[in-house]
Every structure is written in structure tokens, then in C-alpha cells.
């Protein structure tokens, strides 16, 4: 539409759209047309300004009502012409005092280059700026019927280019403020750690999806599924949520706050018992084996498990597995032969068959 900016069409919403629908449409378009996403694209930059202007009007209940009320007259003749245009039912425009009212019959629309300029004045979008002439002062009183109390027509003696530069800077500033509010959002990233690093914590260097590298001082005793919040590390000052995954360990496994492992023994160790070295997350620890321990038996090492977060720790559960050698030396074979001759243990003696 010439001489008219259809804000509903710019945002792609119907005229009866709700405030929430308008907000969603604006956010979607702002992400697509943002200058940071389209560097050097003049078309995107102009459209980005248009959607911000449209959102500024349609998101304000009072401005939207005024826009809907006045926009239906955009096809009226008279702009850039010599004749005034009569708009019915608008005799109460302006200030509250009756003595300062001005009727629609007195409006000269030839003062405005197009309907947009008229709406600029009505909605307070921006100020109509014209070169000052000798006839301007008596024709434009201080209280124009369509002006708000805080918006007045300005007259400057310098060129339009200077004013346009100022308007562009002001628009960029307002756009940046609106965009900063709308684009701020939280993001999520995933971090997979080996069990030892999840247990000890420490500094981790993380690459985010947007290409940034950050260094994070991670806490100890992290577990799979845990989320760690990093303030102001998201987009536009939002937060970053790190979702932790602890990768499977070849020796240890977690059961709640207990750490489980399997300990392999020789037949002699299982029969005789004694001290053996057991790996833990804190390093090797000596454990005393009872004589005659069998495969599948679990031995408990107190306070060697995973921290619970309240100052306590679980236990380490050591499951015994006795392995039988498949190949032995000649000397070992001779000893086993002698042992078989003298051993008193008869496991099949009491079979009930």
C-alpha cells in the first residue's frame, strides 16, 4: 500500500491477533532479520527496522487502538494537495480543554507528504520535520488537535539530511534496546566426563555450539543427568546450562553412592587370604582378604565410595572373582600334583546321588 505501512502485514499476523501472537511473530522475524545474522544485507536491515516499528505500535494497547482507528482513512485524498480532508467524528482530538480544541474541518492534509507522516504525528512514532518558512508560525498553533502532549512539530533551519541521520541513529538505538531484551535467552550444552574427572572436578575447557570456548571451574562429585548453571554465559546475557554425562569406566561402576569393582584372585590368594592392593578413586589401597574367600563374594571398604553431596561418602564394594590358570609351568604342575595327593578338602564327598 502506497503511503501506508500495514503493521499487521509486516509482522504477518491478522488484525485480530492477540498480544502473545504479535510477540511471537516479532521474535521469529527478529531472529531471521537481525543485522548480526545478515551482515551487509541492506534489505534485511530495512525490514528489521520495519518489524521493530510495527511491534512498537502493535504491542502498545493505546497506540494499536489509535492505529486501527486512523488507518482506515489512508485512502482519503488530500495528502500533498491543496484541499483539506474532512474526517468525521474526530472533533474531540487534542487536549482536554474545550477552548483549545480544533475541528477536523480545519485540518490541512497538504501539510503532510503522505498518510504515513500524518500517522507519525498521531501515534507519536516520530516527529514531522520540515524546513521553516515565514508562513509556518501562524499556521501551526502549539496544540495541534492530533498531537499528544509530549509530541510537537519541530522546525529546523538546517537540511533534512542532518535530521535523517539523527533519526537513523535514534532508530538503531531503540532497535538495539528492543533486540537486547528479546534475544536474551538461556542455552544448553552437554559435557561428557570420565569418572575420575567427574569425581575430582577442576577446570574444563568447553566449546559451545556458537563457536565460543569457555573455561569452567567444575565442582567435584558430578553425576550423569546433573545440570550446572553458568550465569550470563548464554545468548545476550542469558544463562548456560551444562548437562553432565559421566562416561562408563572399565573398572568402576556406580550404584547410587557406592562404587563397585571386581577383584581377580589366584587360587592361592583365595585359599590363603592376606593383604591385596585394591584400586580406588583416591589411589591404591591395601585390603585384608579373609582365608577361603570365594568367587561372587562382596567385600566392603567403608567410606571409599562416591561423595553424596552432604559431606558423606558411600562405600566401595569389591566383588571377588577367582581365576583358574589355563597354562602353568612344570614346577607349578609338580606342586599341584603334590597338593592333590595331600589335600583333605573333598567337595564331592557328600553328593546325594
Amino acid at each position: 500500500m502506497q503511503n501506508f505501512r500495514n503493521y499487521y502485514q509486516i509482522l504477518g499476523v491478522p488484525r485480530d491477533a492477540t498480544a502473545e501472537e504479535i510477540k511471537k511473530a516479532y521474535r521469529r522475524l527478529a531472529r531471521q532479520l537481525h543485522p548480526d545474522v545478515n551482515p551487509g544485507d541492506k534489505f534485511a536491515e530495512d525490514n528489521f527496522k520495519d518489524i521493530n516499528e510495527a511491534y512498537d505500535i502493535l504491542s502498545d494497547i493505546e497506540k494499536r487502538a489509535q492505529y486501527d482507528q486512523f488507518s482506515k482513512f489512508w485512502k482519503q485524498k488530500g495528502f500533498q494537495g491543496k484541499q483539506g480532508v474532512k474526517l468525521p467524528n474526530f472533533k474531540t482530538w487534542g487536549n482536554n480543554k474545550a477552548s483549545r480544541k480544533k475541528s477536523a474541518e480545519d485540518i490541512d492534509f497538504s501539510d503532510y507528504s503522505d498518510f504515513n507522516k500524518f500517522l507519525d504525528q498521531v501515534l507519536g512514532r516520530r516527529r514531522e520535520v520540515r524546513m521553516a518558512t515565514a508562513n509556518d508560525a501562524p499556521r501551526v498553533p502549539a496544540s495541534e488537535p492530533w498531537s499528544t502532549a509530549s509530541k510537537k512539530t519541530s522546525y529546523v533551519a538546517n537540511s533534512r539530511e542532518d535530521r535523517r541521520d539523527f533519526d537513523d541513529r535514534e532508530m538503531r538505538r531503540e532497535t538495539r534496546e528492543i533486540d537486547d531484551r528479546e534475544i536474551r535467552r538461556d542455552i544448553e550444552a552437554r559435557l561428557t566426563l570420565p569418572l575420575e574427572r567427574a569425581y575430582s572436578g577442576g577446570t574444563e575447557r568447553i566449546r559451545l555450539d556458537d563457536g565460543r570456548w569457555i573455561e569452567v571451574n567444575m565442582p567435584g562429585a558430578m553425576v550423569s543427568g546433573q545440570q550446572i548453571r553458568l550465569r550470563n554465559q548464554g545468548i545476550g546475557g542469558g544463562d548456560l546450562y551444562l548437562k553432565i554425562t559421566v562416561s562408563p569406566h572399565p573398572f568402576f561402576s556406580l550404584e547410587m553412592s557406592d562404587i563397585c569393582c571386581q577383584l581377580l584372585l589366584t587360587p592361592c590368594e583365595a585359599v590363603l587370604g592376606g593383604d591385596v592392593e585394591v584400586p580406588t578413586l583416591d589411589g591404591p589401597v591395601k585390603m585384608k582378604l579373609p582365608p577361603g574367600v570365594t568367587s561372587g563374594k562382596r567385600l566392603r571398604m567403608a567410606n571409599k565410595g562416591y561423595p553424596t553431596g552432604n559431606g558423606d561418602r558411600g562405600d566401595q564394594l569389591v566383588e571377588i572373582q577367582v581365576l583358574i590358570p589355563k597354562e602353568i609351568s612344570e614346577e607349578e604342575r609338580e606342586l599341584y600334583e603334590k597338593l592333590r595327593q595331600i589335600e583333605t578338602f573333598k567337595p564331592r564327598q557328600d553328593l546325594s546321588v
Side-chain angles (χ1 to χ4, degrees), residues 28-254:
R28 175 176 55 81
L29 292 171
R31 285 193 294 269
Q32 295 175 359
L33 300 172
H34 193 278
D36 291 345
V37 181
N38 305 277
D41 189 336
K42 181 65 176 175
F43 177 78
E45 181 181 349
D46 292 341
N47 282 319
F48 186 68
K49 293 179 181 180
D50 288 342
I51 65 171
N52 276 282
E53 180 178 302
Y55 183 67
D56 179 62
I57 297 299
L58 299 186
S59 63
D60 185 287
I61 296 177
E62 183 177 351
K63 288 183 179 180
R64 181 181 179 181
Q66 288 181 314
Y67 174 79
D68 290 341
Q69 183 181 21
F70 290 108
S71 59
K72 60 187 176 182
F73 294 101
W74 77 275
K75 290 185 178 180
Q76 296 278 0
K77 296 181 180 180
F79 296 104
Q80 297 182 344
K82 300 300 183 181
Q83 301 296 324
V85 176
K86 297 182 180 180
L87 298 181
N89 302 324
F90 288 95
K91 293 185 177 182
T92 58
W93 292 355
N95 298 326
N96 294 330
K97 295 182 179 180
S99 59
R100 303 181 67 183
K101 294 177 183 175
K102 185 177 182 181
S103 66
E105 286 78 359
D106 297 327
I107 302 170
D108 186 358
F109 280 81
S110 64
D111 286 340
Y112 297 90
S113 56
D114 56 42
F115 183 71
N116 267 331
K117 300 299 183 183
F118 171 66
L119 279 186
D120 286 344
Q121 193 74 0
V122 171
L123 302 181
R125 296 187 301 195
R126 63 185 69 150
R127 294 182 296 175
E128 173 72 14
V129 179
R130 296 176 291 163
M131 298 296 292
T133 65
N135 296 325
D136 280 333
R139 289 181 58 194
V140 183
S143 57
E144 295 188 19
W146 53 85
S147 299
T148 63
S150 59
K151 301 289 183 179
K152 295 182 180 180
T153 302
S154 298
Y155 301 96
V156 294
N158 55 348
S159 68
R160 289 180 178 264
E161 293 298 325
D162 292 339
R163 179 63 194 179
R164 187 179 298 115
D165 290 343
F166 174 80
D167 286 342
D168 288 344
R169 289 195 301 270
E170 188 71 11
M171 174 66 76
R172 283 195 296 270
R173 182 187 67 81
E174 294 175 355
T175 298
R176 192 161 52 247
E177 290 176 354
I178 295 174
D179 185 59
D180 287 345
R181 293 194 302 270
E182 296 297 332
I183 207 170
R184 183 187 187 277
R185 62 185 177 92
D186 299 335
I187 60 175
E188 183 180 281
R190 297 181 180 272
L191 178 62
T192 301
L193 295 169
L195 180 61
E196 292 90 345
R197 290 222 302 271
Y199 168 70
S200 62
T203 302
E204 294 290 337
R205 194 162 186 261
I206 304 168
R207 190 178 192 275
L208 303 179
D209 291 341
D210 58 9
R212 288 182 294 149
W213 286 93
I214 61 173
E215 285 192 353
V216 183
N217 189 22
M218 307 296 290
M222 292 176 283
V223 295
S224 291
Q226 178 179 352
Q227 280 201 15
I228 297 177
R229 180 185 183 186
L230 303 176
R231 295 183 180 274
N232 303 321
Q233 292 296 328
I235 295 178
D239 297 333
L240 167 64
Y241 289 87
L242 280 181
K243 189 170 185 179
I244 303 300
T245 299
V246 180
S247 57
H249 195 275
F251 184 74
F252 299 111
S253 63
L254 286 178

Side-chain angles (χ1 to χ4, degrees), residues 221-335:
M222 292 176 283
V223 295
S224 291
Q226 178 179 352
Q227 280 201 15
I228 297 177
R229 180 185 183 186
L230 303 176
R231 295 183 180 274
N232 303 321
Q233 292 296 328
I235 295 178
D239 297 333
L240 167 64
Y241 289 87
L242 280 181
K243 189 170 185 179
I244 303 300
T245 299
V246 180
S247 57
H249 195 275
F251 184 74
F252 299 111
S253 63
L254 286 178
E255 292 183 3
M256 303 297 288
S257 61
D258 292 333
I259 295 177
C260 302
C261 67
Q262 286 188 341
L263 186 65
L264 305 180
L265 299 180
T266 67
C268 290
E269 288 175 324
V271 171
L272 300 176
D275 291 337
V276 293
E277 236 181 33
V278 181
T280 72
L281 288 176
D282 298 316
V285 174
K286 281 189 177 182
M287 181 178 70
K288 190 172 185 63
L289 286 175
V293 68
T294 57
S295 289
K297 185 173 180 61
R298 277 190 167 188
L299 304 177
R300 184 179 298 271
M301 300 174 64
N303 297 318
K304 289 298 180 181
Y306 215 68
T308 61
N310 58 4
D312 297 331
R313 288 185 67 170
D315 301 329
Q316 182 160 327
L317 305 179
V318 181
E319 182 179 325
I320 299 301
Q321 291 293 326
V322 181
L323 292 187
I324 306 301
K326 293 181 178 180
E327 297 181 359
I328 56 177
S329 67
E330 285 299 322
E331 185 178 4
E332 288 173 324
R333 183 177 296 277
E334 291 177 3
L335 291 173

